[in-house]
Amino acid sequence: MKILIINGYEKHVDSNGQLNATLFSRYIEQLKNNNDIKISNIEDYQRTDEINKWLWADTVLIQFPIYWFNMPGKLKSYFDDIFAYGIFYGLDYSIYGQGGKLQGKRFALSTTWNAPENVFNVPDSFFSGKSLEDVLLPAIKTMEFVGIEPLQPQYLVSFHDVVHNPDIDKYLHDQQEFIEKSFK
């Protein structure tokens, strides 16, 4: 499998990015043995190189922290920059959102949250019963708009309560399970 692994961490005054860097590095280490790997970093990239990496990859894995219930601003800007008209999508809107040009590729999202896991899918919680997928819908639909489908059997892994109650051993265990389930 040809995998593009993207580090979606953006420097932040309240975060040193240590967990994100650990998870990103472990993805590279774990996946490089049985796959062809390329890596990217949203803090330092060249547009043409990135476009070519996306065209090359079978699967795109993006590791990023959640800032204010969304992807970091530089990750959004990265998509705005590299998702080139005519290469990633076109004007065939006969069925809106299904004209992406990267058909046959898969994506996976790996996210870190300060929000505890137990606030999702609970009607009277902060997210009003919304699932993780509901909250990440803009990122998911961005991928689908350019034609990339979710990796199966699992395309989303998340690590919760990372500031107030971190559990690095659990995160690394969950990451390993995700890799074994979806990439092996």
Side-chain angles (χ1 to χ4, degrees), residues 29-66:
E29 196 61 36
Q30 295 290 320
L31 293 170
K32 73 179 182 181
N33 294 329
N34 299 318
N35 302 286
D36 193 2
I37 300 293
K38 291 188 181 187
I39 61 172
S40 292
N41 186 322
I42 64 163
E43 293 278 6
D44 181 29
Y45 68 91
Q46 297 296 319
R47 183 175 192 251
T48 302
D49 292 344
E50 291 307 301
I51 290 170
N52 288 330
K53 287 177 188 178
W54 280 76
L55 296 175
W56 165 86
D58 299 319
T59 303
V60 177
L61 168 62
I62 308 167
Q63 168 60 53
F64 61 99
I66 298 297

Side-chain angles (χ1 to χ4, degrees), residues 1 22 24 38 48 96 102 108 112 129 144 151:
M1 184 182 308
T22 298
F24 179 71
K38 291 188 181 187
T48 302
Y96 184 82
L102 300 184
T112 58
E144 291 178 2
L151 181 66

Side-chain angles (χ1 to χ4, degrees), residues 79-141:
F79 294 138
D80 292 344
D81 188 27
I82 66 156
F83 283 8
Y85 174 78
I87 298 172
F88 286 74
Y89 66 98
L91 278 179
D92 181 9
Y93 293 128
S94 55
I95 302 177
Y96 184 82
Q98 296 187 8
K101 298 184 177 288
L102 300 184
Q103 304 290 320
K105 296 179 183 291
R106 304 286 181 259
F107 75 90
L109 305 176
S110 176
T111 60
T112 58
W113 297 73
N114 191 44
E117 192 169 10
N118 64 8
V119 298
F120 295 94
N121 301 309
V122 178
D124 293 329
S125 72
F126 178 78
F127 289 111
S128 305
K130 302 289 188 243
S131 70
L132 195 60
E133 288 88 350
D134 292 333
V135 177
L136 291 173
L137 192 62
I140 294 166
K141 288 302 178 185

